[in-house]
Amino acid sequence: MAIAIPHRQLFIDGEWKEPARGKRVPVINPANEAVIGDVPAATAEDVEIAVEAAHRAFHRNGGREWSRASGAFRAKYLRAIAAKIKERSSELAKLEAVDCGKPLDEAAWDMDDVASCFEYYADLAESLDGKQRTPISVPMQTFKSYVLREPIGVVALITPWNYPLLMATWKVAPALAAGCTAVLKPSELASVTCLELAELCKEVGLPPGVLNIVTGLGSEAGASLASHHLVDKIAFTGSAETGRKIMTAAAQEIKPVSLELGGKSPIIIFEDVDIEKAVEWTLFGCFWTNGQICSSTSRLLLQESIAKEFTEKLVAWAKNIKVSDPFEEGCKLGPVVSEGQYEKIKKFIFTAKNDGATVIHGGNRPQHLKKGYFIEPTILSVEDTSIQIWREEVFGPVLCVKIFKTEEEAIELANDSQYGLAGAVISKDLDRCNRVTEAIQAGIIWINCSQPTFCQAPWGGIKRSGFGRELGEWGLENYLSVKQVTEYVSNDPWGWYQSPSKL
Ligand code: NAD
């Protein structure tokens, strides 16, 4: 299907601006490797003016035009953006699918989530007004104390390509709800829908500079944004490797960061499950979004007594997954995002085989697809848990299976990871599910499912999966600073020092 990629510029101070050096990054359709457009590539000069615009917008008119306006005022813009997303959701879904390769039905689902997330944070922006000046009980009656929740300032929002508009929204919506002004830097591998968000912001009349969107390379646009002295906080989603660079940049200016990084999450299947249902959740937990999910439950821990039957069914179901162009009816697995990712995943599979893992399904490009970055849903059985494929994040459609005997062994295997983003447990015994939930070291646990995510519930990891929480009320807190106000309410003098007049 031919989709026209709109020709856009950088979005700075409410206007489209050509990148200072005139550079652009090609947009490649991963399903056929064709160049279908380009997006502007910002450099340090562009980032400079974007951050200055955000800084001006934060302080304009003493903050009364945005940062110190009521939450209800800001909520109107968030709702207007949500309405525009809904109006254009079908077109946005197509742009997203052609840009990053995810099946069109999934992209359409993401656009619904984007609109809901803006609406949700509009509600929270309104309720923020009622949470200002909440009294704090202090033990001396001569004092009154309360807190003000204030926007943290200018925030840098740096996002990945697997859910291009949704990951941006998880940051943009709460940041604007809180009263921050922002510079968003989406991934160079999929920025098209984020530039469309800019167009929607223009249409709803968002005050200039409140949201600036600078596309371009991480090493240029991203790095200069992360190290800018006028940025008050960095919210980052991406790889652990880049997360480390972001922390290093932030450390120079003692700047807060929140990091949503990668994972290698376990899914534990006990012998009492309904096998067909558990098989479906296992596949969804790993192959949804073309296997490119940070919280992908890509380490399957399978109880020994059902291992043979479960694996046979798993393979049979995996064979049934339709791998095709994202626009084909019934597509359930599209191409991975880029040639770089395709080569990286193939190398992971090659190394896994050399390391002794056994491919029980997939491992190659599907024979019917000659072009595009397609990889079959791949299932590998693993004995030795020290090998790379068991320990490192693939970020592609690759599931590893390991057999366990007891609950204790399953928990030990699950926690033997540098990551701690998510985990899933599947069993009819809810007591066991609760025990395992408490024992798994992760920020998100699914019971009898894997992956469903709601914008009301907190999202984030522990260990090398990062820190800080997005979504829910926690997502708003990310962009707020708490100011303590304490007032002396007695008419009596404080009385610590003696007045010279009494001597
Ligand atoms: P990445 O780290 O390569 O890039 C993420 C963003 O950082 C991009 O916008 C990139 O341009 C930018 N960037 C790169 N180098 C930079 C630098 N030196 N300074 C500043 N910015 C820089 O990650 P990716 O490949 O886009 O995304 C995949 C990774 O993201 C995976 O590890 C995945 O697990 C993780 N992820 C995590 C979550 C989560 O919620 N925890 C969600 C989605 C993806």
Side-chain angles (χ1 to χ4, degrees):
M1 181 179 283
I3 306 285
I5 304 293
H7 185 78
R8 301 282 186 207
Q9 304 296 348
L10 303 171
F11 183 63
I12 299 176
D13 214 5
E15 301 292 338
W16 296 114
K17 285 205 168 52
E18 269 190 42
R21 299 206 183 170
K23 292 199 218 168
R24 298 190 70 92
V25 182
V27 174
I28 296 168
N29 177 354
N32 60 16
E33 303 171 38
V35 176
I36 51 172
D38 53 33
V39 293
T43 49
E45 299 94 313
D46 304 302
V47 168
E48 182 69 34
I49 57 166
V51 175
E52 278 170 5
H55 185 73
R56 272 196 310 279
F58 190 87
H59 294 285
R60 194 174 297 127
N61 201 0
R64 283 185 291 279
E65 287 183 25
W66 188 258
S67 54
R68 293 181 60 206
S70 67
F73 171 84
R74 295 190 295 267
K76 284 188 193 144
Y77 289 98
L78 297 181
R79 288 225 168 79
I81 294 171
K84 289 273 175 196
I85 301 266
K86 284 181 183 166
E87 252 172 62
R88 287 187 54 192
S89 66
S90 145
E91 176 201 345
L92 288 169
K94 285 178 190 150
L95 288 172
E96 189 106 319
V98 82
D99 194 18
C100 75
K102 72 169 60 191
L104 184 59
D105 290 349
E106 287 188 25
W109 195 356
D110 287 1
M111 294 311 123
D112 292 346
D113 285 351
V114 166
S116 306
C117 189
F118 273 108
E119 282 169 349
Y120 172 71
Y121 280 105
D123 290 349
L124 288 203
E126 281 166 350
S127 59
L128 190 57
D129 293 338
K131 288 184 182 159
Q132 298 293 10
R133 297 173 203 275
T134 357
I136 291 176
S137 168
V138 289
M140 288 175 79
Q141 290 188 346
T142 46
F143 291 94
K144 272 189 182 165
S145 196
Y146 63 88
V147 290
L148 291 175
R149 292 183 161 82
E150 298 182 332
I152 220 163
V154 173
V155 291
L157 313 176
I158 304 179
T159 55
W161 43 262
N162 58 338
Y163 291 82
L165 191 53
L166 189 59
M167 288 297 105
T169 300
W170 283 15
K171 298 188 194 315
V172 169
L176 300 197
C180 291
T181 57
V183 180
L184 167 68
K185 209 305 274 170
S187 166
E188 55 271 44
L189 295 178
S191 305
V192 170
T193 47
C194 286
L195 288 173
E196 293 315 291
L197 173 64
E199 176 63 19
L200 303 187
C201 290
K202 256 173 102 63
E203 286 173 18
V204 305
L206 189 72
V210 164
L211 177 64
N212 305 275
I213 303 178
V214 291
T215 50
L217 303 182
S219 53
E220 287 193 81
S224 45
L225 180 58
S227 60
H228 200 289
H229 69 284
L230 287 180
V231 165
D232 298 298
K233 170 171 183 158
I234 310 167
F236 171 76
T237 299
S239 63
E241 197 186 332
T242 312
R244 200 170 286 122
K245 289 182 191 157
I246 300 276
M247 268 186 105
T248 307
Q252 310 316 308
E253 307 228 6
I254 324 285
K255 211 171 269 184
V257 290
S258 51
L259 299 179
E260 300 284 351
L261 308 177
K264 190 81 187 178
S265 302
I267 178 167
I268 307 177
I269 310 273
F270 286 99
E271 60 194 357
D272 61 353
V273 295
D274 175 322
I275 292 194
E276 297 270 330
K277 283 188 195 159
V279 160
E280 189 182 7
W281 280 117
T282 304
L283 295 176
F284 189 74
C286 189
F287 298 137
W288 187 47
T289 313
N290 304 339
Q292 304 161 128
I293 328 173
C294 51
S295 56
S296 156
T297 40
S298 56
R299 286 188 298 141
L300 166 60
L301 292 162
L302 196 50
Q303 197 152 26
E304 192 176 35
S305 55
I306 57 162
K308 188 167 177 299
E309 185 188 353
F310 193 96
T311 314
E312 281 166 9
K313 291 226 161 87
L314 189 69
V315 170
W317 276 64
K319 281 185 182 155
N320 220 18
I321 292 176
K322 179 169 177 179
V323 188
S324 72
D325 185 287
F327 287 84
E328 262 188 42
E329 185 77 35
C331 172
K332 288 285 184 279
L333 193 89
V336 298
V337 73
S338 65
E339 187 180 6
Q341 283 300 115
Y342 176 76
E343 293 301 336
K344 197 170 144 193
I345 296 164
K346 276 188 10 189
K347 198 167 162 208
F348 262 112
I349 297 171
F350 177 81
T351 308
K353 288 195 260 184
N354 276 350
D355 285 347
T358 310
V359 177
I360 51 180
H361 179 66
N364 298 303
R365 156 190 286 285
Q367 281 182 357
H368 66 288
L369 293 161
K370 304 294 173 217
K371 274 219 153 237
Y373 310 125
F374 292 95
I375 296 180
E376 291 172 307
T378 297
I379 305 172
L380 294 144
S381 142
V382 167
E383 294 272 335
D384 175 1
T385 58
S386 71
I387 65 173
Q388 182 205 42
I389 200 77
W390 185 257
R391 309 205 76 83
E392 289 182 23
E393 182 185 45
V394 177
F395 221 58
V398 179
L399 175 69
C400 297
V401 191
K402 166 89 187 152
I403 292 165
F404 70 90
K405 287 194 175 71
T406 64
E407 184 179 314
E408 292 68 32
E409 187 191 358
I411 291 168
E412 202 175 308
L413 284 163
N415 286 338
D416 181 20
S417 170
Q418 60 181 333
Y419 292 112
L421 185 55
V425 51
I426 307 218
S427 166
K428 284 187 180 149
D429 177 349
L430 277 185
D431 287 337
R432 170 152 62 192
C433 289
N434 291 333
R435 276 196 307 275
V436 173
T437 294
E438 285 173 23
I440 294 182
Q441 297 159 357
I444 303 148
I445 301 290
W446 286 285
I447 297 177
N448 289 331
C449 62
S450 177
Q451 303 310 316
T453 300
F454 301 93
C455 69
Q456 294 77 6
W459 182 271
I462 58 171
K463 295 159 103 177
R464 290 211 188 162
S465 294
F467 50 81
R469 290 293 177 272
E470 296 199 297
L471 299 184
E473 292 166 20
W474 301 266
L476 189 67
E477 298 295 331
N478 256 335
Y479 300 99
L480 290 170
S481 168
V482 171
K483 182 186 273 177
Q484 181 221 130
V485 182
T486 296
E487 182 184 350
Y488 184 57
V489 290
S490 163
N491 286 326
D492 295 336
W494 182 227
W496 183 257
Y497 300 108
Q498 279 199 341
S499 163
S501 61
K502 287 194 183 153
L503 291 177

